[in-house]
Amino acid sequence: MAWLHNLLLVLISIPVKWLVKANTIPSDLAQELGIDPTKPILYLLRSHSATDQIALSMSAESLNLPKPNSRITIAGEQHRSCLFLLEPKSVLTRKVKNTDIAQQFTHLFQLHRLDPALDIQIVPVSIFWGRAPGKKFSGWSDVIANQVSPSWLRKFFIVLFLGRDNFVCYSKAVSSRSMADLPGTDAELAHKLIRLAGTHFHRRRQGITGPYLLEKQELYNTVLGSQSVRSAINDEATSKNITYQSAQTQAKKYIDEIAGDYREGLIRLGDRVLTKIWNKIYNGIEVQHAQKVRTLAQNGHEIIYVPCHRSHMDYLLLTYVIYHEGLVTPHIAAGINLNFWPIGGVLRKAGAFFLRRSFAGNKLYTAVFREYLELLFNKGYSVKYYPEGGRSRTGRLLPPKTGMLAMTLQGLIKGINRPVSIVPVYIGYEHVMEVSSYLQELTGSAKKKESIFHIFSAIRKLKNYGYGYLNFGDPINLSNYLDKNVTNWRELQQAEPDKKPQWLTPVVNDLANNVMERINQAAAISGMSLCAICLLSAKKHAMTEDELLLAIEHLLTLLAKSPYSEVSTIPDISAKQLLENTLKLKKFEVSEDTFGRIISLRDKNAVPLTYYRNNILHLFAMPGLITAIIFARHSISRSDIKQLIAKLYPLLQRELFIYMSLEHAIDYSDSLIESMLDMGLLSNLDDQLTPPAPSSKAYYSAWLLNRSIQETLHRYAVVLTLLEREGSMSRAVLEKRSQQFAQRLSSLHGISSPEFFDKNVLGTFINALKENHLVQSNEEGQLQHCDVSEALRLDVISLISPEIAQRIQQI
């Protein structure tokens, strides 16, 4: 009968292949799952379905895997390559029947007893048609719901309507030899494998479709019925002298303002639209480390995505990537400024929920929002929010806002019945469409209110934006995090369940910084960011093509020899190809004379390109500081370099959210020095480190590294010198005066970086001085110059160029 089955597959495959597009998850089976296509593979599917087999065949063919409809030889016997747990339902009944898989597995283990060398990869494969989450109440759309083992008639409609949304999800292979070697009879082992497979397929389904949709009435009942919201309604009624019903009506309005209204059909439509947009404007979207998140999902974790925020494009790109990586589409925290017609309604149906920029002491709104967020966590919905609170205008990470993180931790300690993991996400672009408006805001222009006209304007201007980059960082398991930082947090909370814990604020602040550091830890290097860091460090922002190519090559080699972290990524193409791709974005001026090409920045482009440099500045902070010390001192021992690093690194770490501890940074400096010596970026003379010889090819690249950190050191010198001149100042006055003088210095010396005099950046540095006890406070709370800050000031002044140092000394 095998030939008849194969003939049926061939006949059905003709129309099915026209209707179906098989999306494979993950795309790299060898790296992520360890599946070896050269070894025997036995595919295990949940349902015995011809269309599922065809989708698997299409996927397997694209991955050069064995065909699932072929035969496999096991101990001299011919067996099917595809096995199934369940038969399809009857058209007339809902009963699901088991296949004869128990007998097949029992026979398989019997063959293993006869041949000790026999080992087969049993690969579970989940086939999904659409990604619709289940509903508690049935509706007409359930005709095409991706149910377990649907009948052939229901499957006809599923393929007809959802064929383009097919997902073929592979799982790690199970070694048949490792199963056969377990204690028990062959029949017992067969039934154990079947039970494990059934549990796995159930979890896989939950991991890709998510929990049941939240019905509106259930939402109202749960939020309004919670103890915290009822108490807040009572307080609202008392304080405003209104009835309880009126206050409850207001709470219900808050729910309508906040809550998302997820619709999977809109996500499918959005997927098609966004695929066309990405293909038009991006050369590609590079995604790394998604397997970490898939592992969390398969282990039943509540996943909270916390990305950096560069652009409004982030909302679309991250959700799109999550969808295509086979993960549940998250509910997204969006600013209330985006809730305008008609975009607000579209975003809401895509899973967005809205929050006000400030809760401003509104206890009822706060209680409703917190209860809604906890409901999402408890129901198992993945959530995404931006810890910076808004888009970065400079390309650097902003100091984190802690409100959402605090609510997340409060939800955890109240009792979420599953592990909760925060997943930091680094997002980078070679072109951010809002950069020009960011620069206007940094120079004092008012932020423009979002509207539908701005959306159409942005769409009309779509062009080649180069590459987009999205790296998932190392997750943070919140329960483990609390166990390390608050050893008895469970007992403390049980004693006073309704009271805000005293330890919450410092722990949330520490967690927020940890999240930002992990975002930067997963940074992606792009051609645009590399060219920007080189050209902005060059005098007059111009380099010959050969100089620029060599500098890019040196920077890439340095990061390859001494990686910033295990999760940061660098391009895997040559420096020449990288430069050619970047020049196509037309952000540079390219001229040519008899000696070759010169690449420079147009005056109007120098400032915008600081945005892309700032995306990766933290990766080069340590090599930049090392070269700055050596170029300034000309000859210095390693121990003296480490002493200076020990003084300055805590300030750089705080400002640039570098993930390394001081001890790790000192060790990393050793690795960098060794790599730079190997590359000729440094020289070693009588155990003293010196700059490379000016005639060396590597000299200019080393000088550029030194220049890359100079603006940061200039800013430090400005703040410390102002404090030294005045003796003591309030923080607000020091911040304002520093901003004014930095702006003046920028004009006098052609410093083209808006963040050089940005209030947030200056404020972060002043905070770092206080936190590291490098300044003192007097009785009035003013910051006071002291011996420690003076020593730091002299060290910083010694590392910057004489003309800048002289100008600063004239404050």
Side-chain angles (χ1 to χ4, degrees):
M1 295 295 289
W3 66 271
L4 185 60
H5 179 263
N6 289 336
L7 177 61
L8 179 64
L9 283 179
V10 171
L11 294 175
I12 294 176
S13 67
I14 297 173
V16 168
K17 285 185 176 180
W18 183 74
L19 290 170
V20 172
K21 178 186 176 183
N23 300 283
T24 300
I25 300 171
S27 56
D28 191 342
L29 300 189
Q31 181 178 352
E32 184 169 337
L33 302 179
I35 296 174
D36 187 349
T38 63
K39 293 181 179 179
I41 291 177
L42 196 62
Y43 299 102
L44 178 59
L45 277 67
R46 187 170 194 174
S47 301
H48 192 174
S49 164
T51 50
D52 283 2
Q53 284 181 266
I54 293 168
L56 176 57
S57 296
M58 294 168 67
S59 172
E61 184 178 357
S62 69
L63 297 171
N64 294 318
L65 292 175
K67 294 180 179 179
N69 54 355
S70 62
R71 309 289 286 182
I72 182 174
T73 302
I74 302 176
E77 298 179 3
Q78 292 291 309
H79 292 264
R80 288 183 296 176
S81 294
C82 239
L83 299 180
F84 313 93
L85 292 185
L86 304 172
E87 293 288 356
K89 293 178 182 176
S90 166
V91 175
L92 301 177
T93 68
R94 298 178 63 86
K95 188 175 181 180
V96 179
K97 296 181 180 179
N98 295 324
T99 63
D100 62 349
I101 193 169
Q103 292 84 352
Q104 295 184 63
F105 274 146
T106 301
H107 182 60
L108 179 66
F109 290 132
Q110 289 170 351
L111 295 176
H112 279 70
R113 308 293 180 201
L114 302 175
D115 184 359
L118 182 61
D119 190 13
I120 298 169
Q121 300 175 99
I122 302 175
V123 180
V125 186
S126 303
I127 313 292
F128 295 93
W129 304 85
R131 304 272 290 276
K135 294 189 295 184
K136 290 188 176 180
F137 303 102
S138 300
W140 69 268
S141 59
D142 292 336
V143 173
I144 59 169
N146 189 17
Q147 296 183 353
V148 177
S149 299
S151 67
W152 68 265
L153 182 59
R154 188 184 294 272
K155 199 60 172 284
F156 170 78
F157 289 104
I158 289 174
V159 173
L160 184 64
F161 290 103
L162 299 176
R164 311 303 290 178
D165 296 286
N166 172 267
F167 294 86
V168 180
C169 303
Y170 296 85
S171 300
K172 283 188 177 181
V174 177
S175 166
S176 60
R177 170 53 55 190
S178 65
M179 288 294 301
D181 289 342
L182 293 175
T185 65
D186 296 331
E188 289 171 343
L189 292 177
H191 283 96
K192 181 176 183 178
L193 183 55
I194 292 169
R195 286 197 306 272
L196 290 174
T199 302
H200 170 79
F201 284 127
H202 175 71
R203 288 182 176 177
R204 188 70 167 172
R205 179 180 176 80
Q206 284 187 324
I208 198 169
T209 64
Y212 284 124
L213 283 176
L214 191 62
E215 299 293 337
K216 198 75 169 181
Q217 194 56 50
E218 181 187 5
L219 171 63
Y220 290 144
N221 293 342
T222 305
V223 174
L224 296 177
S226 67
Q227 179 60 45
S228 60
V229 173
R230 290 205 312 268
S231 177
I233 290 173
N234 274 319
D235 291 345
E236 181 84 355
T238 303
S239 63
K240 294 189 176 179
N241 195 24
I242 57 178
T243 64
Y244 182 91
Q245 287 72 22
S246 297
Q248 189 180 55
T249 300
Q250 183 60 50
K252 193 173 181 181
K253 288 180 180 178
Y254 287 152
I255 295 174
D256 292 334
E257 177 188 314
I258 294 167
D261 185 26
Y262 182 82
R263 292 290 181 269
E264 198 262 344
L266 181 65
I267 297 297
R268 293 202 308 272
L269 175 62
D271 172 46
R272 287 170 171 72
V273 173
L274 288 177
T275 298
K276 292 182 181 297
I277 292 177
W278 299 154
N279 290 338
K280 177 181 179 181
I281 67 175
Y282 291 120
N283 295 328
I285 304 294
E286 304 287 342
V287 180
Q288 299 291 336
H289 314 309
Q291 70 273 15
K292 296 181 179 182
V293 192
R294 274 195 288 270
T295 300
L296 291 176
Q298 290 166 23
N299 291 335
H301 282 237
E302 166 67 26
I303 299 174
I304 301 169
Y305 300 94
V306 282
C308 59
H309 203 3
R310 313 282 194 210
S311 165
H312 281 318
M313 199 70 82
D314 300 342
Y315 295 107
L316 304 175
L317 181 62
L318 180 52
T319 301
Y320 179 87
V321 167
I322 289 170
Y323 182 79
H324 277 268
E325 292 296 334
L327 297 160
V328 178
T329 307
H331 281 58
I332 309 160
I336 197 69
N337 59 306
L338 294 177
N339 191 20
F340 59 89
W341 186 89
I343 300 301
V346 173
L347 293 177
R348 201 181 292 275
K349 285 181 170 55
F353 61 96
F354 295 96
L355 70 158
R356 298 178 179 182
R357 292 297 183 190
S358 171
F359 292 8
N362 188 333
K363 294 182 179 180
L364 180 57
Y365 180 86
T366 303
V368 169
F369 186 88
R370 181 182 290 126
E371 199 63 37
Y372 174 74
L373 192 63
E374 290 175 11
L375 177 62
L376 294 181
F377 295 155
N378 281 309
K379 289 292 184 182
Y381 296 101
S382 59
V383 173
K384 176 176 74 175
Y385 53 75
Y386 296 91
E388 295 168 281
R391 292 166 293 158
S392 169
R393 267 62 178 170
T394 63
R396 294 165 172 253
L397 291 186
L398 299 174
K401 303 289 193 298
T402 58
M404 292 292 289
L405 284 171
M407 290 184 188
T408 301
L409 277 184
Q410 286 177 297
L412 174 68
I413 61 183
K414 280 180 66 176
I416 297 175
N417 299 322
R418 57 207 300 255
V420 180
S421 287
I422 284 180
V423 178
V425 185
Y426 177 92
I427 303 175
Y429 305 93
E430 291 195 296
H431 177 86
V432 173
M433 60 184 180
E434 299 104 322
V435 162
S436 59
S437 63
Y438 291 165
L439 298 177
Q440 291 173 11
E441 291 173 32
L442 287 170
T443 54
S445 299
K447 179 180 179 293
K448 294 181 179 178
K449 187 177 180 180
E450 283 79 5
S451 73
I452 187 63
F453 303 106
H454 292 152
I455 302 294
F456 286 138
S457 176
I459 292 173
R460 183 175 55 84
K461 296 176 182 177
L462 290 180
K463 55 182 179 178
N464 180 12
Y465 285 176
Y467 284 87
Y469 301 86
L470 196 149
N471 289 351
F472 293 97
D474 286 334
I476 302 173
N477 183 302
L478 287 186
S479 294
N480 294 344
Y481 187 88
L482 286 181
D483 288 340
K484 291 179 182 178
N485 290 275
V486 189
T487 52
N488 58 340
W489 63 274
R490 291 179 178 86
E491 292 79 9
L492 290 172
Q493 191 57 26
Q494 286 175 0
E496 296 180 300
D498 297 324
K499 188 176 180 181
K500 178 182 175 181
Q502 292 183 349
W503 52 260
L504 185 66
T505 299
V507 168
V508 167
N509 290 337
D510 183 74
L511 175 62
N513 281 323
N514 196 331
V515 166
M516 305 310 286
E517 289 169 3
R518 293 194 187 211
I519 290 173
N520 264 353
Q521 184 182 2
I525 293 281
S526 69
M528 180 60 68
S529 58
L530 277 177
C531 289
I533 204 167
C534 292
L535 288 168
L536 288 168
S537 297
K539 286 281 183 72
K540 296 190 176 180
H541 304 325
M543 298 172 69
T544 68
E545 183 177 18
D546 290 341
E547 287 172 339
L548 183 54
L549 277 172
L550 187 58
I552 291 173
E553 194 171 298
H554 278 141
L555 296 183
L556 289 175
T557 303
L558 180 60
L559 288 181
K561 283 177 169 286
S562 298
Y564 176 77
S565 76
E566 293 181 354
V567 289
S568 61
T569 55
I570 59 176
D572 59 357
I573 58 176
S574 67
K576 186 175 181 61
Q577 186 61 56
L578 196 68
L579 179 58
E580 287 178 4
N581 292 344
T582 307
L583 291 178
K584 291 176 183 177
L585 300 178
K586 299 180 180 179
K587 291 184 181 292
F588 308 104
E589 189 76 48
V590 181
S591 58
E592 192 165 1
D593 56 23
T594 55
F595 299 99
R597 293 206 296 179
I598 295 174
I599 299 169
S600 59
L601 301 180
R602 304 184 184 99
D603 291 339
K604 65 179 182 178
N605 277 356
V607 176
L609 279 172
T610 62
Y611 192 94
Y612 307 102
R613 176 198 63 184
N614 291 343
N615 289 175
I616 62 162
L617 188 59
H618 60 285
L619 277 75
F620 295 102
M622 286 294 290
L625 181 58
I626 291 169
T627 51
I629 293 169
I630 293 172
F631 270 81
R633 302 295 172 87
H634 302 295
S635 178
I636 187 171
S637 67
R638 285 201 191 200
S639 60
D640 288 341
I641 289 176
K642 289 179 181 179
Q643 286 181 8
L644 280 168
I645 289 174
K647 287 184 179 181
L648 291 169
Y649 174 74
L651 304 174
L652 289 172
Q653 181 189 29
R654 183 74 169 79
E655 177 180 331
L656 298 174
F657 293 105
I658 303 175
Y659 75 98
M660 303 175 202
S661 65
L662 179 58
E663 294 75 15
H664 185 180
I666 297 295
D667 292 341
Y668 183 53
S669 69
D670 268 331
S671 172
L672 285 168
I673 289 171
E674 289 299 326
S675 298
M676 293 166 83
L677 286 170
D678 288 344
M679 297 167 59
L681 293 169
L682 298 177
S683 296
N684 195 348
L685 181 63
D686 299 329
D687 291 329
Q688 297 286 300
L689 295 170
T690 65
S695 59
S696 164
K697 285 186 177 181
Y699 179 86
Y700 192 46
S701 298
W703 182 80
L704 290 175
L705 273 173
N706 153 52
R707 291 268 296 176
S708 70
I709 199 70
Q710 285 296 314
E711 288 179 11
T712 301
L713 297 174
H714 297 165
R715 194 184 321 106
Y716 291 179
V718 166
V719 174
L720 291 166
T721 302
L722 275 169
L723 188 59
E724 185 265 337
R725 290 289 185 270
E726 295 294 331
S728 64
M729 305 172 74
S730 70
R731 180 199 153 141
V733 172
L734 178 59
E735 197 175 276
K736 184 176 181 181
R737 291 286 302 282
S738 299
Q739 186 179 24
Q740 291 169 343
F741 191 81
Q743 200 160 5
R744 177 182 175 85
L745 200 65
S746 175
S747 300
L748 291 170
H749 289 274
I751 298 173
S752 55
S753 306
E755 82 279 357
F756 184 68
F757 47 85
D758 181 66
K759 184 178 179 181
N760 282 328
V761 177
L762 289 164
T764 299
F765 173 61
I766 294 170
N767 280 339
L769 289 174
K770 291 176 62 180
E771 290 166 3
N772 289 280
H773 310 291
L774 296 171
V775 294
Q776 295 178 348
S777 297
N778 60 22
E779 294 178 355
E780 290 79 26
Q782 291 190 321
L783 301 178
Q784 198 163 13
H785 183 66
C786 60
D787 292 341
V788 177
S789 56
E790 176 61 12
L792 178 64
R793 187 184 74 85
L794 293 175
D795 284 334
V796 172
I797 289 288
S798 71
L799 300 181
I800 63 180
S801 58
E803 66 270 21
I804 299 286
Q806 183 183 36
R807 184 80 69 181
I808 293 173
Q809 297 280 16
Q810 293 172 357
I811 291 178

